Amino acid sequence: SFTDGILDSVLFAASDQVLASVFFTETSDAYTALDQLDRSQDAASDSVTGVDDGKELILGGKEISFSTGDYALQSADSVDFLVASSDKLTLTGNVVFNSSSSDSDLILMSAGMVDLSAASSISFNGDELGIGSFDSLEVKNVDLKSSNQISLRSLDSIVINNSKMETSGKGADFIHLLAANQIQVDNMRFSESVKRIAMEAMTINLSNVNFPSSSTVNLNSLYGGIDGKYPHFNSIQYGRVNFIEKIRYGSQSVMDRASFDAHGSNITIGKIN
């Protein structure tokens, strides 16, 4: 357990050393599976990838927890940081990670579950904040902040409720959600700086979401768009992108075909590759 911002950098080991350990096999397999969720060829995000290129430092353990504090991620070189638990990763309160390099990525993952039930906010000053879970990933009443990209992945489902995604407005400003089963969102807010939003799952259920004006939105489900273009409106249909309630683009409602045609030209409803 880590508290009060105290995190000794010597606890991080080079990825080639960690991956060679038999004790890390299960976590490594989950890491690879999370990476393979990304079926899109042009994804701007490279989170949860490249674990074997020798530029990562890994903190591994069965159960890992962080409570409120500012945690320094330090390295002489520009590297990515991976915090990986084989069983459970827990974050509570307001957790801030500060990297010595603005180019670094931070991936928080578990081969079991990620518990954010007592967290209020998670912030990272580097390029990308990624959170990945073998089990369903629930982000409820938690705000996430990263300089450039936020990536959430689950080998089951992602559930987001009353959460804000914030980027700095100085880069790709990309929010990327990937789930093997379902994405369920109710009241997810974006900073106006967010330029691109992508979601991919068998079924996507959205309520109370306002996509930022001028952002590009890609929503991919099993069956894709109705008539090749539209979400399913006002209820849930398996395999579709479902706009259930109060979906807006640039504060304009896109809750029927006419309003989607008028205001949803930057929203693409696609099919999983």
Side-chain angles (χ1 to χ4, degrees):
S1 297
F2 300 97
T3 60
D4 301 323
I6 300 171
L7 176 60
D8 194 333
S9 59
V10 301
L11 294 173
F12 283 86
S15 58
D16 52 357
Q17 296 174 336
V18 177
L19 293 174
S21 169
V22 65
F23 300 108
F24 200 71
T25 302
E26 183 181 356
T27 309
S28 179
D29 289 347
Y31 188 100
T32 301
L34 285 164
D35 176 33
Q36 292 172 347
L37 275 178
D38 195 350
R39 305 175 183 88
S40 58
Q41 298 302 307
D42 63 341
S45 169
D46 61 357
S47 65
V48 202
T49 59
V51 72
D52 58 353
D53 66 7
K55 295 181 181 178
E56 292 82 18
L57 292 177
I58 299 178
L59 170 63
K62 183 178 180 181
E63 294 193 3
I64 302 173
S65 65
F66 291 91
S67 60
T68 295
D70 285 21
Y71 296 89
L73 302 174
Q74 296 179 327
S75 173
D77 303 312
S78 178
V79 298
D80 296 333
F81 296 91
L82 170 63
V83 176
S85 77
S86 58
D87 190 9
K88 185 178 182 181
L89 174 63
T90 305
L91 290 90
T92 61
N94 298 297
V95 182
V96 178
F97 294 99
N98 289 306
S99 171
S100 52
S101 170
S102 60
D103 294 328
S104 294
D105 296 343
L106 170 63
I107 307 300
L108 307 171
M109 68 147 292
S110 176
M113 72 173 295
V114 175
D115 183 359
L116 305 179
S117 60
S120 298
S121 66
I122 304 168
S123 302
F124 177 54
N125 72 333
D127 184 67
E128 177 175 358
L129 172 64
I131 303 176
S133 175
F134 186 89
D135 295 340
S136 286
L137 177 60
E138 295 193 352
V139 182
K140 297 181 177 181
N141 305 306
V142 186
D143 294 338
L144 304 180
K145 182 177 181 179
S146 180
S147 292
N148 195 17
Q149 300 182 43
I150 297 171
S151 174
L152 303 181
R153 300 189 184 200
S154 171
L155 291 169
D156 190 355
S157 295
I158 294 174
V159 179
I160 299 176
N161 190 293
N162 189 31
S163 297
K164 183 177 182 180
M165 308 286 164
E166 183 176 349
T167 61
S168 67
K170 299 175 182 176
D173 298 290
F174 181 34
I175 310 298
H176 198 188
L177 311 182
L178 283 162
N181 184 15
Q182 179 175 276
I183 293 173
Q184 180 138 341
V185 174
D186 187 355
N187 189 15
M188 178 165 63
R189 302 175 301 282
F190 302 97
S191 59
E192 281 299 318
S193 55
V194 171
K195 299 187 183 82
R196 184 180 174 200
I197 298 159
M199 303 184 194
E200 186 165 300
M202 291 293 183
T203 305
I204 299 176
N205 300 323
L206 304 180
S207 299
N208 299 296
V209 176
N210 180 28
F211 295 111
S213 57
S214 76
S215 64
T216 300
V217 182
N218 297 95
L219 307 173
N220 292 341
S221 69
L222 178 62
Y223 300 134
I226 296 173
D227 293 339
K229 176 179 181 180
Y230 297 102
H232 177 71
F233 297 107
N234 301 310
S235 62
I236 294 174
Q237 197 172 85
Y238 175 78
R240 297 293 187 185
V241 176
N242 299 302
F243 283 13
I244 300 168
E245 181 183 15
K246 295 180 181 177
I247 305 302
R248 295 172 292 159
Y249 182 92
S251 298
Q252 299 289 332
S253 176
V254 286
M255 281 301 298
D256 55 39
R257 289 195 176 201
S259 60
F260 188 87
D261 286 339
H263 306 294
S265 59
N266 284 342
I267 302 175
T268 302
I269 310 295
K271 188 181 293 187
I272 292 174
N273 293 331

